Amino acid sequence: MSTSVDVTLSVNGERVARRVEARRHLVDFLRLDLGLTGTHTGCEHGVCGACTVRVDGVIVRGCLVLAASLDGATVETIEGLTESGEIADLQTAFVERNAAQCGFCTPAMLLTAADLLSAAARDGAVPSREAIREHIAGNYCRCTGYHAIVDAIETVATARAGKGRS
Amino acid sequence: MSNVSKIGDRVHRKEDRRFLTGTGRYVDDLQLSRCTHAHFLRSPHAHARIKGIDTSKAAASAGVVAVFTGKDTADAKVGGLICGWVVKDKHGVPHKAPGHPAIALDTVRHVGDTVAMVIADTAANARDAADKIEVDYEVLPAIVDLTKALSAGAPQVHSDVPGNLCYDWELGDKAAVDAAFAKAAHVTKIDVVNNRLIPNAMEPRAAAAEYDRGTGNYTLHTTSQNPHVTRLVLSAFVLGIPEHKLRVIAPDVGGGFGSKIFIYAEETLCVWAAGKVGRSIKWTADRSESFMTDAHGRDHVTHAEIAMDKDGKFTGFRIDTIANMGAYLSTFATAVPTYLYGTLLAGQYTTPAIHVNVRAAFTHTTPVDAYRGAGRPEATYLVESIVSKAAREIGVDPAELRKRNFIAPTAFPYQTPVALTYDSGNYVPIIDEAMKLSDYAGFGARQSAAKAKGKLRGIGISSYIEACGLAPSAVVGSLGAGVGQWESAQLRFNPTGNVQVLTGSHSHGQGHETTFAQIVSDKLGVPMDQIEVVHGDTSQVPFGMGTYGSRSLAVGGSAIMKAADKIIAKGKKIAAHLMEAAEADIVFENGTFKVSGTDKNVPLAQAVFAAYVPHNYPIDKVEPGMDENAFYDPSNFTYPSGTQICEVEIDPDTGVVEIVHFVAVDDFGNIVNPMVVEGQVHGGIAQGVGQALMEAAAYDNATGQLLSGSYMDYTMPRADDLPSFTLGYKTTPCPHNPLGVKGCGEAGAIAAPAAVMNAVRDALAQVGAQDRIEMPATPQRVWAAINAR
């Protein structure tokens, strides 16, 4: 009934070749076909942000992207960012500030925060708390009230800017 | 250096590593072999008769293993879902308990009611097949408007519940209240709606059920706050699987807020059907299903009046509430608007006479049950709204009126006129601290400055009380609870000195793996990295009543303390033997047994080793092994209290409410981990602000359709909707549990709606619109209130 499509892509630095159903979303492809369960499904309609992953350097909603569209793409998830050490300081800041409670939104929140931090590094600026809030406003968290998350991101942005200057 | 932690330290959470690296294990992450997937066909109508169901095309659809309807579950004698709390009405008659089949038999009663279950090799095939089921519905009139549900002529939800009335309940001395009103110098009246909310834990509910043909054992992995209670209900009431043949595992659970306490149709059906088809079955709710089938919260309509003497002392309080039960009774639905609401209506005040009448109504809506705070937010919103309104009417500052009526710190234990005995508290220092942190004194100048810019500024106070730590089993039993409400703990040392702490509480964001380890580390001197907290598995933990009502630390933590005391007591006997001293001379300090007055000592780890390798051991006095079990049944509820002060600025041109400052000062008794407590308060406030300004479950009165059925329609607070919060603490330790703790999980959500709305009303009072606004105070509603003629 449904058509399948052959795709070859890079996931967390590994070459992956699969035949996927045309209707397979990226988040289901990661979770069900590759066993990368760090990315979560929260609403399936692109609003909660729990499925945020990075495709070709840009954060996207894994529930709004079809795996079949990703031939040749580079996909990075929480597992990959953890492995590479790219967000180690952010993860530490989240622990120090208790910025995760139930943990369900957390991997996606980290990807969104990492996106802001890279943009800030390019601009050579430390984002204000308002700018941090605005940037992570696409990621629902029902546990923390966001305060601790904003603190953690602000801490890392300030620390990274300090390192950049020295 | 060993990393022994103390109670009161800001210890980083042990559980964070897995959550931050994507290695948390939630139910939907499980990969079971030969697993099938369930999809539930749901009613598109609020009320309809099922005249026929044709499942033949679905059964023949690709990958389908089985299709079940209500007839199948009825034939298999699957029991209905139960309500575990019997509320007796004002005449002593138990509440009406209409049937609640897991799959509807011949009538559907809310949008989302379960009509059929399809099991297939993939979730997509199950969904495709469900689309092929043909249901012949005769659509019937529906009632979703709570204010009309009890009126004559309203559509009937259940034929055996006349007038949709589940119960008509009262508490308090009506005659004494009438007498107080007859003598009142002033009476303030209020009508409030406590808006219906949808809990929306970020992880949707999920179930993965396994059946082992060889042993006949069932395993249910599920998103539960209380896996043992789930097992008990499924075994004893619904499925009849013997308790010892059913294992329930609640692994990492992505938030609950009450909604994962209850025993739902889907989890039940997955277990039953796993046995029928002999294969594992997995189901994860999509967000639409969460909106339609997770138990909703709140949903009260209330009229209340408060009587005062000439000095502004409250003399009488009468309350008339209608509470929505939804279409069926959820697991603890009946208790929420009665014993968790009516008993809290004294607030922090000495009001001597209170009478509350609550009528609970069935409607063609999703069942309503406990959601963060459960009854206590409804009570606090009412009490704190009417107190601020009274202050405005008699021209007294709202902080001053509160102080005039607070229960004095010397009056504890304090018996309220609505059944509870408050154990401890000291309310004036709390409100004083909140006023200081919010610069209450400087508000007038800020309001004037805002006015000069064309903005309306307002400040609002909410002084809450809650009853937590549920609860003395005998008390809740006398009030109708079907279960005891103790908690269990087991400290299981291994020969090498590390320890597993098994707890019947369940953590789904609260950080128990850290705070409970902190208690053990402090009490027994065991390093944090030598302690593992185990929860959420009925095959590992002896038993548990689970996590709700801010009870985990006060009750579960106390059970851990009791088990630790048993470890010390046993260790003393072993140490006395090893040091050839009298047991009476042994003291335990910093993880070491010492002979008092000497330098002889035996570290706990050495006593533990001796217990497992009992070569030189007092074998005639104590058994080998170091593994102690304790059950703790509290002697009273705990009574956290506090004051929140919210300051808002309203743009009258757009109706947008901006929270410019939010202060919360709480008395949670002793605090084990201040960092974790801050997080609980922040999160609670966020949900309370959500209720006040944004969130509402809306139904269409004509069709009964859920209008707020997705995140595009139901507005939860995002990061840019909220301010940062200023917190403070005052401490009066709980006098009756060994930790002196009161609980902190719900306070934010309990107090915040009134703080925000009192601030909104205060702002709107500048244009005379203070009585024209209800929650959620959306921009449209605020603008309409300002511009009403």
Side-chain angles (χ1 to χ4, degrees):
Chain A
M1 277 209 301
S2 60
T3 319
S4 291
V5 179
D6 289 316
V7 290
T8 302
L9 62 159
S10 161
V11 178
N12 296 329
E14 281 180 39
R15 182 176 171 277
V16 173
R18 286 285 195 288
R19 169 160 291 191
V20 296
E21 272 194 277
R23 66 179 172 184
R24 193 66 130 186
H25 289 107
L26 172 56
V27 64
D28 293 333
F29 176 69
L30 292 168
R31 292 178 55 79
L32 303 174
D33 298 337
L34 304 185
L36 294 169
T37 53
T39 305
H40 299 146
T41 310
C43 76
E44 318 91 23
H45 60 295
V47 190
C48 82
C51 61
T52 303
V53 293
R54 200 189 270 170
V55 175
D56 294 332
V58 177
I59 53 171
V60 302
R61 308 286 204 206
C63 72
L64 297 182
V65 174
L66 295 171
S69 71
L70 294 177
D71 192 48
T74 297
V75 175
E76 293 164 282
T77 69
I78 184 65
E79 290 90 348
L81 265 60
T82 299
E83 187 73 22
S84 72
E86 182 191 328
I87 57 168
D89 53 352
L90 192 58
Q91 287 163 318
T92 301
F94 266 54
V95 173
E96 287 172 349
R97 193 56 195 84
N98 190 25
Q101 288 187 28
C102 82
F104 195 78
C105 76
T106 306
M109 193 66 84
L110 288 166
L111 265 94
T112 302
D115 183 65
L116 173 67
L117 291 168
S118 345
R122 279 196 301 276
D123 303 344
V126 176
S128 66
R129 289 180 75 84
E130 290 68 32
I132 293 170
R133 286 183 178 276
E134 195 174 319
H135 195 85
I136 63 170
N139 290 67
Y140 270 140
C141 170
R142 193 59 156 165
C143 293
T144 64
Y146 305 104
H147 182 141
I149 296 173
V150 175
D151 287 352
I153 298 171
E154 187 182 35
T155 301
V156 175
T158 307
R160 285 194 188 178
K163 264 187 209 142
R165 275 195 296 272
S166 61
Chain B
M1 276 293 288
S2 72
N3 63 338
V4 172
S5 289
K6 292 289 171 196
I7 287 172
D9 289 351
R10 293 178 75 89
V11 180
H12 297 158
R13 300 202 323 170
K14 291 162 76 83
E15 47 270 81
D16 278 352
R17 176 158 181 79
R18 64 180 191 273
F19 295 143
L20 289 162
T21 55
T23 50
R25 292 276 282 170
Y26 301 88
V27 173
D28 192 62
D29 299 340
L30 286 176
Q31 308 264 9
L32 304 173
S33 67
R34 291 188 72 243
C35 190
T36 64
H37 298 264
H39 182 83
F40 294 95
L41 182 69
R42 300 191 177 281
S43 170
H45 304 295
H47 189 199
R49 185 164 299 123
I50 300 174
K51 291 159 66 183
I53 302 183
D54 182 353
T55 59
S56 56
K57 286 180 193 154
S61 189
V64 169
V65 174
V67 181
F68 297 116
T69 65
K71 183 176 183 310
D72 297 309
T73 48
D75 288 350
K77 303 217 171 345
V78 173
L81 301 172
I82 62 155
C83 176
W85 196 304
V86 178
V87 166
K88 291 186 176 164
D89 73 6
K90 54 173 66 160
H91 308 296
V93 178
H95 73 260
K96 298 282 191 306
H100 186 185
I103 305 183
L105 264 176
D106 52 7
T107 306
V108 287
R109 295 187 174 85
H110 68 92
V111 170
D113 207 352
T114 314
V115 175
M117 177 187 201
V118 181
I119 300 163
D121 58 346
T122 68
N125 278 341
R127 184 180 288 258
D128 287 346
D131 284 345
K132 296 172 187 164
I133 297 175
E134 289 168 8
V135 187
D136 185 7
Y137 290 108
E138 177 192 352
V139 179
L140 301 170
I143 178 75
V144 298
D145 182 347
L146 179 60
T147 62
K148 299 196 172 75
L150 298 175
S151 305
Q156 295 295 286
V157 181
H158 297 277
S159 59
D160 52 350
V161 184
N164 297 323
L165 183 66
C166 179
Y167 54 74
D168 184 354
W169 176 87
E170 67 179 342
L171 180 66
D173 186 340
K174 188 169 186 300
V177 171
D178 290 345
F181 275 83
K183 288 190 289 188
H186 183 83
V187 172
T188 292
K189 303 178 180 183
I190 199 167
D191 290 283
V192 296
V193 174
N194 207 288
N195 41 325
R196 176 186 279 241
L197 303 177
I198 304 180
N200 271 303
M202 291 317 299
E203 180 206 21
R205 278 191 297 123
E210 300 176 88
Y211 175 66
D212 184 326
R213 285 173 189 273
T215 60
N217 289 344
Y218 291 82
T219 302
L220 170 65
H221 308 263
T222 188
T223 47
S224 174
Q225 299 179 210
N226 42 350
H228 286 89
V229 177
T230 298
R231 184 182 65 164
L232 178 63
V233 171
L234 291 181
S235 294
F237 299 101
V238 185
L239 295 176
I241 299 168
E243 221 174 340
H244 66 294
K245 305 298 277 182
L246 173 60
R247 176 182 184 183
V248 177
I249 301 172
D252 286 331
V253 173
F257 316 114
S259 70
K260 292 171 181 170
I261 298 171
F262 320 120
I263 289 80
Y264 291 93
E266 296 84 359
E267 293 88 326
T268 303
L269 290 166
C270 283
V271 175
W272 170 75
K276 285 289 270 191
V277 304
R279 287 178 66 179
S280 301
I281 300 176
K282 200 166 155 184
W283 167 78
T284 299
D286 62 33
R287 188 54 63 179
S288 299
E289 291 182 288
S290 304
F291 275 105
M292 288 188 291
T293 67
D294 288 4
H296 293 181
R298 319 284 191 254
D299 206 349
H300 286 196
V301 175
T302 296
H303 174 78
E305 303 179 355
I306 196 162
M308 282 161 277
D309 67 15
K310 62 179 178 19
D311 301 320
K313 289 279 280 183
F314 306 143
T315 54
F317 189 24
R318 61 162 70 111
I319 303 101
D320 184 20
T321 293
I322 307 176
N324 204 337
M325 294 285 103
Y328 305 99
L329 293 178
S330 175
T331 316
F332 292 108
T334 50
V336 176
T338 51
Y339 295 109
L340 296 176
Y341 167 72
T343 54
L344 275 303
L345 288 165
Q348 298 188 356
Y349 310 110
T350 54
T351 317
I354 300 175
H355 179 262
V356 53
N357 197 106
V358 179
R359 287 170 294 160
F362 287 103
T363 58
H364 291 106
T365 61
T366 297
V368 179
D369 207 325
Y371 164 62
R372 200 170 195 168
R376 292 151 293 170
E378 295 90 316
T380 299
Y381 181 62
L382 174 64
V383 171
E384 291 306 284
S385 293
I386 202 168
V387 166
S388 282
K389 188 175 188 209
R392 185 176 307 286
E393 286 181 359
I394 64 171
V396 174
D397 181 89
E400 165 57 26
L401 186 63
R402 282 173 170 81
K403 287 185 186 180
R404 222 177 265 182
N405 286 280
F406 278 162
I407 297 162
T410 50
F412 295 93
Y414 180 82
Q415 176 64 51
T416 76
V418 277
L420 295 178
T421 307
Y422 296 172
D423 62 356
S424 60
N426 190 1
Y427 306 141
V428 170
I430 295 174
I431 197 170
D432 282 346
E433 179 73 2
M435 290 166 75
K436 193 177 96 191
L437 291 174
S438 62
D439 185 22
Y440 191 82
F443 173 73
R446 296 194 296 279
Q447 188 176 43
S448 302
K451 200 168 189 177
K453 295 185 299 173
K455 302 288 172 62
L456 303 173
R457 217 172 239 249
I459 196 160
I461 302 175
S462 174
S463 297
Y464 75 93
I465 183 84
E466 53 170 328
C468 295
L470 278 64
S473 293
V475 173
V476 294
S478 73
L479 301 178
V483 291
Q485 289 192 322
W486 40 263
E487 195 48 271
S488 85
Q490 184 177 4
L491 294 188
R492 188 191 291 167
F493 275 88
N494 297 311
T496 50
N498 45 44
V499 59
Q500 282 180 301
V501 181
L502 296 98
T503 171
S505 297
H506 185 272
S507 187
H508 32 280
Q510 295 90 339
H512 296 169
E513 289 169 40
T514 306
T515 48
F516 288 4
Q518 250 179 286
I519 294 169
V520 173
S521 187
D522 179 286
K523 177 95 174 160
L524 297 181
V526 179
M528 286 292 279
D529 59 6
Q530 300 290 304
I531 303 169
E532 190 80 5
V533 174
V534 178
H535 61 93
D537 184 343
T538 59
S539 283
Q540 292 200 60
V541 176
F543 208 92
M545 297 314 301
T547 287
Y548 46 85
S550 304
R551 70 191 300 274
S552 294
L553 185 61
V555 189
S558 295
I560 292 171
M561 289 290 277
K562 272 188 78 178
D565 282 334
K566 292 184 183 179
I567 295 285
I568 293 169
K570 185 168 185 176
K572 278 185 179 174
K573 289 186 168 58
I574 300 166
H577 175 88
L578 293 175
M579 293 187 280
E580 297 176 346
E583 188 189 331
D585 294 336
I586 307 293
V587 292
F588 182 69
E589 289 168 7
N590 301 320
T592 300
F593 297 98
K594 294 173 182 159
V595 181
S596 68
T598 74
D599 58 359
K600 285 211 255 183
N601 69 82
V602 167
L604 174 61
Q606 190 184 332
V608 167
F609 184 79
Y612 284 102
V613 188
H615 297 167
N616 174 21
Y617 195 75
I619 202 82
D620 52 334
K621 292 202 192 80
V622 284
E623 296 170 8
M626 194 61 99
D627 182 354
E628 294 291 344
N629 221 342
F631 287 70
Y632 175 80
D633 201 306
S635 60
N636 192 356
F637 299 88
T638 60
Y639 296 93
S641 62
T643 288
Q644 294 183 349
I645 299 183
C646 175
E647 188 166 330
V648 302
E649 188 165 289
I650 294 174
D651 182 339
D653 294 334
T654 63
V656 170
V657 177
E658 185 197 353
I659 295 176
V660 291
H661 198 193
F662 199 106
V663 170
V665 179
D666 293 291
D667 176 2
F668 296 137
N670 294 332
I671 287 175
V672 172
N673 187 323
M675 184 186 75
V676 167
V677 170
E678 275 171 25
Q680 288 292 312
V681 177
H682 289 167
I685 294 171
Q687 290 181 8
V689 170
Q691 170 164 30
L693 297 180
M694 308 170 82
E695 297 181 36
Y699 282 91
D700 180 62
N701 282 338
T703 62
Q705 289 296 320
L706 176 63
L707 300 175
S708 54
S710 84
Y711 283 143
M712 301 300 282
D713 314 296
Y714 186 90
T715 319
M716 293 204 311
R718 294 185 177 280
D720 58 353
D721 294 316
L722 294 173
S724 296
F725 312 108
T726 303
L727 308 187
Y729 302 95
K730 295 285 174 188
T731 300
T732 58
C734 174
H736 59 78
N737 65 46
L739 287 162
V741 297
K742 297 185 175 180
C744 66
E746 298 166 292
I750 287 170
V756 175
M757 290 304 290
N758 282 337
V760 168
R761 292 173 187 132
D762 187 47
L764 292 179
Q766 295 167 82
V767 292
Q770 70 275 16
D771 296 329
R772 294 199 290 260
I773 190 75
E774 291 281 7
M775 298 192 290
T778 60
Q780 184 270 336
R781 283 186 172 182
V782 172
W783 188 91
I786 293 169
N787 291 282
R789 291 176 198 284

